Amino acid sequence: MKLAEKIGQLLMVGFEGTTPSKEVVTLIQKHQIGGVILFSRNIKTPAQCAKLTQSLQALSKNVPLLIGIDQEGGRVSRLPKPFIQFPPAKVFGQINNIRLTYDCAVALSKELNAVGINMNFAPVLDVDTNPDNPIIGDRAFGQNSLIVEEQALALMSGLQDNHIIACGKHFPGHGDTNLDSHKTLPKLDHPMSRLNEMELKPFIHLAKNGLWTIMTAHVLYSKIDAKRPASLSKKIVTKLLREKIGFSGVIVSDDLEMKGITEKISVAEAAVLAIEAGSDLLLICKSPDEQTAALEALIHAVEKEELSEERIDRSIARLLALKERAHLRMKQTLPEIKKIIGCDKHRALIDAISA
């Protein structure tokens, strides 16, 4: 790969519309970006979603795209009916039936596979310790780290056993904040002793049991790094997650367009800092201008030797290994959608949850 193509692989972008926008077409064909993330704005029906993912994959010349989505269940669900509408993680934590959680993850995987989506930004590994938290709440499996560990492992296994890339989030923990990082930068003063007792346990447990990707949080942990939020902190991304915990998979930044980042610095600056910190894949979910600016900033950082090409190559190796591990293919043969999406077997799981 040329340098520009390597840099492109580090980005996962969002776009407007239910067909590939001209901007995302350019990013895929010209810059060889690593993936796209889909939102409700991109999806109308299962058939349309499948056609969209096929169109996107067909644009990618040499390497298949990661095609991701936030399909946690509950209020963070991007797929409309007739896709199965699972409840939020909190419900699974209350039921606390590992087999049921696994079976629901398998059903979700089959529906995602049916429409060409290969990555789900779930499970949430945050522990719901703050009742005033405006962003996590019922997205977490519970207030107890053991419940979170067990339920999240079941969901992760159901996804990854069926070639859907799971992504644990939001490292090192967003559960105790009282601010929303979409709107501002939350700050926590917890020492490492507290993190080890609570927030880090689910991340460590899943990392040791085969989790393929982890997403970092736009949260400032002042006792660890008083200057930079976790997503841009080498102390947290490399020293803690990569080296101390020993996570060898792909590290993903949360969306760099969130106010938790852009209140202080530009998306382009954040992209360079996130790679410096140790991230492998950067989410930039909306603006084509910001996506292009980030690409250019990363290329310039390597050309000016602020980032080494060897550092970029390490991320590329992890990303390509992930795509191989998940059996991604550029030319998809999608299954018969009507027999899978919202089928009787999957609807029976909703009945089991209700019971």
Side-chain angles (χ1 to χ4, degrees):
M1 283 185 190
K2 297 175 182 177
L3 175 62
E5 293 173 338
K6 291 180 183 179
I7 298 298
Q9 283 293 304
L10 305 181
L11 261 62
M12 175 177 265
V13 307
F15 61 96
E16 298 289 339
T18 55
T19 58
S21 67
K22 63 179 183 180
E23 293 88 355
V24 83
V25 169
T26 298
L27 286 168
I28 296 171
Q29 291 184 325
K30 183 178 177 182
H31 298 288
Q32 294 290 294
I33 59 166
V36 297
I37 178 169
L38 302 181
F39 291 89
S40 299
R41 64 181 184 251
N42 305 119
I43 302 166
K44 299 300 181 186
T45 67
Q48 171 269 327
C49 183
K51 186 176 179 180
L52 173 61
T53 62
Q54 284 181 319
S55 299
L56 290 165
Q57 291 289 11
L59 294 167
S60 189
K61 221 192 298 185
N62 301 314
V63 183
L65 294 167
L66 295 167
I67 299 182
I69 198 165
D70 291 296
Q71 191 67 15
E72 299 172 13
R75 58 191 161 108
V76 183
S77 299
R78 314 301 189 200
L79 298 172
K81 292 180 180 179
F83 289 96
I84 290 295
Q85 303 298 303
F86 287 110
K90 181 180 180 179
V91 171
F92 289 97
Q94 290 170 332
I95 296 170
N96 199 21
N97 182 323
I98 290 172
R99 183 72 211 188
L100 179 60
T101 303
Y102 178 87
D103 288 345
C104 288
V106 171
L108 174 57
S109 299
K110 292 183 184 303
E111 298 203 357
L112 293 175
N113 276 316
V115 294
I117 295 169
N118 52 46
M119 185 174 191
N120 189 15
F121 291 103
V124 170
L125 300 183
D126 303 310
V127 185
D128 184 26
T129 53
N130 187 343
D132 295 324
N133 194 317
I135 190 63
I136 301 302
D138 65 358
R139 297 170 64 193
F141 287 103
Q143 301 172 344
N144 180 298
S145 61
L146 181 60
I147 291 288
V148 176
E149 288 177 26
E150 292 176 343
Q151 290 297 311
L153 182 61
L155 191 143
M156 177 207 86
S157 300
L159 293 173
Q160 292 183 176
D161 286 352
N162 291 277
H163 309 298
I164 296 294
I165 299 163
C167 184
K169 59 188 185 184
H170 307 80
F171 185 85
H174 209 319
D176 204 36
T177 61
N178 60 3
L179 296 172
D180 180 353
S181 55
H182 292 84
K183 299 176 181 178
T184 189
L185 179 63
K187 177 183 175 183
L188 287 172
D189 297 320
H190 296 330
M192 275 303 304
S193 57
R194 155 63 192 247
L195 296 183
N196 286 327
E197 289 170 4
M198 181 67 70
E199 280 80 8
L200 292 179
K201 282 186 173 180
F203 291 97
I204 293 170
H205 186 65
L206 267 70
K208 289 182 176 179
N209 284 278
L211 179 61
W212 292 349
T213 74
I214 286 177
M215 179 187 287
T216 55
H218 300 324
V219 176
L220 185 73
Y221 277 84
S222 61
K223 294 289 176 63
I224 306 174
D225 190 333
K227 183 180 177 183
R228 293 179 179 171
S231 50
L232 308 183
S233 169
K234 191 168 187 177
K235 292 177 182 178
I236 292 175
V237 178
T238 294
K239 298 297 182 183
L240 178 57
L241 180 54
R242 188 70 78 195
E243 295 177 2
K244 186 175 180 181
I245 292 175
F247 181 64
S248 59
V250 166
I251 299 175
V252 187
S253 79
D254 207 342
D255 182 12
L256 295 181
E257 291 184 272
M258 289 163 59
K259 292 292 185 182
I261 294 296
T262 59
E263 275 186 335
K264 300 288 186 184
I265 61 173
S266 70
V267 173
E269 291 173 292
V272 175
L273 290 174
I275 297 299
E276 281 182 350
S279 291
D280 303 302
L281 185 65
L282 310 179
L283 279 174
I284 306 177
C285 293
K286 192 170 184 180
S287 168
D289 290 341
E290 298 287 18
Q291 293 157 2
T292 301
L295 281 167
E296 292 173 351
L298 288 164
I299 292 169
H300 292 156
V302 176
E303 290 173 343
K304 291 185 290 185
E305 298 184 350
E306 294 171 3
L307 286 172
S308 70
E309 193 163 352
E310 181 186 9
R311 164 68 192 88
I312 303 300
D313 287 342
R314 290 198 295 272
S315 286
I316 295 300
R318 283 189 282 265
L319 286 163
L320 294 180
L322 174 67
K323 292 180 177 188
E324 183 65 28
R325 190 175 194 179
H327 303 289
L328 303 198
R329 298 289 180 266
M330 287 180 286
K331 292 184 179 179
Q332 304 173 84
T333 303
L334 300 177
E336 192 171 341
I337 291 170
K338 289 183 179 179
K339 290 184 178 180
I340 295 173
I341 306 299
C343 67
D344 290 345
K345 184 178 180 180
H346 294 176
R347 286 200 300 270
L349 291 169
I350 299 297
D351 294 338
I353 292 167
S354 298

